[in-house]
């Protein structure tokens, strides 16, 4: 049953906020390499490895989930790649990855911070927000514009053949489901049977390419790009926006799914003893926020899907018992399936070292929030596999920036302010996109490899017809490593393969101190509207009122009115609140800009010009 010619790959993309530009750059270079390798094989050029790779799963959380969706749409047609030679040209609008993550919705007269600090999401449109409720600190309407611009416009081009993507490619985005799925555990008590109830908020939206639009009762939402409307295109857009809805910073998203897409999906069930997670007779509506809150690096689910696909093949070819007994090979000599993780902010430099017994609430509360998030993201079922030094089932592309050949402490320009830094300056996003391309090139040439001496059957098949010189063409210097994905380009006469140009170091960007200070006025205006409208937005049934007569009686007068008298008795509560709001927004804007300047300076991104 084992396919000795093909490596099966799942690509999982971690959350990154604006540093999704880095992930986009990685994917852009990876697709360029795959395209050229496939073209070289189609032209039957000499010296070309003949094995295959097949990308079967794309997944992601937050910015990674959005990039996974964009990639699924982008590969439906050909598009130009953005390099250091052409990034200042109009070609950038034709590349969905660059256009979505670097261009965003910015133009010369309206940069991203101007858009994100505008107030039209709160008070600008009755159709968008009739109750003028505050949904996020920043205006995030631009995300909808990008999603629709990218996903609504793409239609499959029959002439585009990408054999390295599975025809039935699976795609999922993680989401944090604020409604959740209810479970109950029964206990015997002195009062009779009682139930302990719990709610799971870890969720995902699971799609599968399916040109016929057939639903296979497996929870995988069928999608295709055969027409501009496409199948389930709106749900795909909503899933992309939902996974990127960074809590508080960006607006949450309402997601509506048919109940079968939840009840039929085994990845969403803690126990298979429960027939339905949600009411099967109704669509399931939920407010969603960033998928990275609970599962920011969904390689675990990606691994599960890859394994399930192999088991389904084995069951079809042999029998169920053999399929159940299947365990994927992980050694260099035997593996044929692997996960490629793209992570702009990997955690490998964040191992806890110092711990202090600080009991004050200002310390303990902060530690509690951090502990809760870390616990949410623990993948306990995978920890036992993590200590195998010879496990080829997981690879990671992570940022490495060099200057003059020396590795720098700070790599990602967009990493400032917890990943929001890229929204302040387009140059940050351009830098990170180019860094992603550079890192991807180095990674697939030097690290996404297997030793020739391991005698992996797929590598043996791929390189068996190549002479010594041809094999050395692909090996990193002083090694015997052979790449899973050969990185080649085709000569101008299309008769031979050549090595691609080295992706050069890209100049680390900076942002003007004068520009940041000028943002303070816009921040004050934004914060004023946020403060004035923070209480708006009614729950179903209208505004809540206290029915308790005692509460109603003691709250008739405000604390201010009950306790302040004398010369300032005419100083109304309303005036007091107005001053509080004014001072509050000024302080908030000042502190925010101070933190931006401090972080930019620490990362070497600040240009002091005033």
């Amino acid at each position: 049953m084992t396919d000795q010619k093909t490596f099966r790959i799942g690509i999982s993309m971690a959350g990154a906020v604006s540093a999704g530009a880095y992930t986009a750059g990685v994917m852009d270079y990876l697709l360029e390499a795959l395209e050229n390798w496939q073209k070289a094989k189609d032209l039957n050029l000499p010296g070309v490895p003949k094995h295959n790779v097949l990308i079967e799963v794309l997944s992601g959380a937050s910015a990674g989930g959005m990039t996974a969706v964009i990639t699924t749409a982008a590969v439906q047609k050909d598009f130009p790649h953005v390099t250091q030679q052409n990034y200042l040209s109009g070609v950038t609008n034709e590349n969905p990855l660059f256009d979505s993550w670097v261009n965003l919705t910015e133009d010369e007269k309206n940069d991203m911070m101007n858009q994100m600090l505008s107030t039209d999401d709160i008070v600008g449109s009755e159709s968008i927000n009739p109750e003028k409720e505050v949904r996020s600190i920043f205006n995030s309407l631009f995300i909808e514009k990008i999603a629709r611009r990218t996903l609504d416009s793409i239609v499959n081009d029959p002439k585009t053949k990408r054999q390295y993507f599975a025809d039935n490619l699976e795609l999922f985005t993680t989401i944090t489901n604020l409604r959740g799925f209810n479970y109950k555990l029964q206990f015997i008590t002195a009062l009779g049977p009682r139930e302990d109830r719990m709610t799971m908020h870890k969720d995902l939206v699971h799609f599968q390419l399916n040109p016929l639009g057939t639903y296979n009762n497996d929870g995988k939402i069928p999608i295709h790009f055969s027409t501009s409307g496409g199948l389930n295109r709106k749900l795909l857009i909503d899933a992309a926006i939902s996974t990127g809805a960074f809590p508080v910073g960006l607006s949450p998203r309402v997601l509506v799914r048919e109940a079968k897409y939840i009840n039929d999906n085994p990845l969403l069930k803690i126990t298979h003893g429960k027939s339905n997670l949600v009411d099967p007779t109704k669509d399931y509506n939920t407010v969603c926020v960033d998928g990275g809150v609970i599962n920011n690096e969904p390689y675990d689910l990606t691994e599960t899907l890859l394994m399930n696909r192999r088991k389904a093949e084995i069951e079809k070819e042999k029998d169920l018992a053999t399929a159940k007994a299947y365990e994927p090979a992980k050694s260099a000599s035997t593996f044929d399936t692997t996960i490629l993780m793209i992570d702009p902010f990997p955690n490998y430099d964040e191992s806890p070292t110092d711990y202090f017994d600080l009991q004050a609430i200002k310390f303990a509360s902060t530690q509690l929030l951090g502990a809760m998030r870390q616990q949410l993201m623990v993948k306990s079922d995978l920890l036992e596999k993590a200590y195998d030094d010879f496990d080829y089932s997981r690879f990671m592309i992570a940022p490495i920036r060099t200057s003059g050949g020396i590795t720098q402490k700070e790599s990602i320009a967009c990493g400032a302010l917890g990943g929001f830094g890229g929204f302040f300056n387009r140059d940050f996003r351009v830098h990170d996109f180019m860094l992603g391309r550079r890192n991807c090139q180095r990674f697939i040439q030097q690290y996404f490899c297997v030793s020739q001496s391991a005698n992996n059957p797929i590598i043996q098949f791929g390189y068996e017809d190549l002479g010594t010189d041809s094999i050395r063409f692909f090996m990193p210097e002083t090694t015997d490593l052979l790449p899973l994905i050969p990185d080649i380009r085709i000569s101008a006469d299309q008769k031979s393969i050549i090595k691609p140009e080295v992706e050069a170091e890209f100049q680390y960007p900076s942002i003007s101190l004068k520009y940041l200070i000028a943002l303070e006025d816009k921040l004050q205006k934004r914060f004023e509207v946020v403060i004035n409208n923070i209480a708006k937005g009614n729950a179903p049934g209208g505004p809540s009122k206290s029915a308790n007569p005692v509460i109603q009686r003691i709250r008739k007068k405000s604390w201010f009115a009950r306790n302040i008298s004398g010369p300032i008795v005419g100083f109304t509560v309303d005036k007091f609140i107005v001053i509080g709001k004014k001072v509050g927004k000024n302080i908030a804007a000042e502190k925010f800009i101070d933190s931006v300047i401090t972080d930019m300076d620490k990362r070497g991104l600040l240009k002091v010009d005033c």
Side-chain angles (χ1 to χ4, degrees), residues 291-355:
V293 172
I294 296 178
N295 192 353
N296 195 54
E297 296 160 325
Y299 55 82
D300 53 334
L301 298 174
T302 307
E303 182 178 78
T304 298
L305 290 181
L306 286 172
M307 183 180 292
N308 288 347
R309 290 171 71 96
R310 296 308 301 273
K311 286 184 175 181
E313 291 177 353
I314 296 172
E315 182 179 354
K316 186 176 180 180
E317 293 181 5
K318 296 186 178 181
D319 53 65
L320 180 59
T322 306
K324 285 185 175 181
Y326 167 75
E327 288 291 337
K330 296 182 179 179
S331 70
S333 59
T334 58
F335 86 101
D336 61 4
T337 301
T338 193
I339 294 168
L340 179 57
M341 184 81 204
I342 306 172
D343 195 345
F345 303 124
N347 296 321
Y348 50 62
D349 288 333
E350 298 179 7
S351 297
T353 51
D354 298 324
Y355 173 75

Side-chain angles (χ1 to χ4, degrees), residues 4 29 199 221 225 239 343 376 386 417 441 444-445 489 493:
Q4 302 291 309
Y29 192 91
T199 303
I221 304 166
F225 295 85
D343 195 345
L376 281 171
L417 303 170
Q441 181 185 58
I444 64 175
Q445 289 180 356
R489 298 297 181 269
D493 61 7

Side-chain angles (χ1 to χ4, degrees), residues 12 31 49 144 162 213 221 285 407 409 415 458 461 528 581:
S12 188
L31 292 173
E144 174 106 17
R162 299 183 189 268
I221 304 166
N285 297 21
T407 301
K409 181 180 179 181
I458 300 175
F461 168 79
E528 182 176 21
K581 287 181 177 180

Side-chain angles (χ1 to χ4, degrees), residues 388-558:
D388 184 349
D389 293 335
F390 303 100
D391 186 348
Y392 277 72
S393 68
R394 294 187 295 273
F395 290 81
M396 180 187 287
I397 301 178
I400 300 174
R401 181 175 71 89
T402 61
S403 179
I406 300 173
T407 301
Q408 303 297 298
K409 181 180 179 181
E410 302 292 345
S411 298
I412 295 285
C414 293
L417 303 170
F420 274 82
F423 295 127
F424 284 80
N425 193 326
R426 185 178 187 273
D427 290 345
F428 290 8
R429 306 191 297 272
V430 173
H431 171 273
D432 288 356
F433 186 92
M434 296 305 170
L435 182 66
R437 283 183 55 90
R438 175 176 166 82
N439 286 175
C440 183
Q441 181 185 58
R442 184 168 180 261
F443 182 82
I444 64 175
Q445 289 180 356
Q446 301 182 30
Y447 300 101
F448 201 41
C449 304
V450 183
S451 171
Q452 185 179 25
S453 61
N455 296 318
N456 182 286
I458 300 175
I459 291 293
Q460 283 184 319
F461 168 79
Y463 291 87
E464 66 183 0
D465 296 334
L466 276 62
T468 303
D469 289 342
S470 294
I471 288 178
R472 289 302 315 169
F473 174 89
F474 293 101
M475 285 181 172
E477 292 183 8
T478 69
T479 73
D480 74 336
L481 298 175
L482 289 171
L484 276 66
I485 298 176
D487 192 14
I488 57 179
R489 298 297 181 269
I490 299 169
S491 62
D493 61 7
Q494 297 199 345
K495 292 184 178 179
S496 62
I497 59 173
I498 56 177
K499 288 187 176 181
E501 293 184 16
V502 175
E503 296 283 316
E505 294 175 347
F506 198 78
Q507 183 176 356
Y508 199 53
S510 62
I511 190 168
S512 163
L513 176 59
K514 186 183 297 184
Y515 170 80
L516 291 178
I517 292 174
L519 287 177
E520 192 167 322
D521 287 342
K522 295 178 182 178
L523 274 164
Q524 288 183 14
K525 293 175 183 177
R526 172 76 188 179
F527 289 167
E528 182 176 21
V529 172
V530 168
I531 292 170
N532 286 340
N533 293 277
I534 195 71
K536 292 184 178 178
N538 294 327
S544 59
K545 295 181 180 179
S546 173
N548 187 292
V550 177
I551 297 295
Q552 291 179 347
R553 176 173 58 82
I554 67 172
R555 297 304 180 198
K556 282 183 178 179
K557 291 184 178 181
S558 69

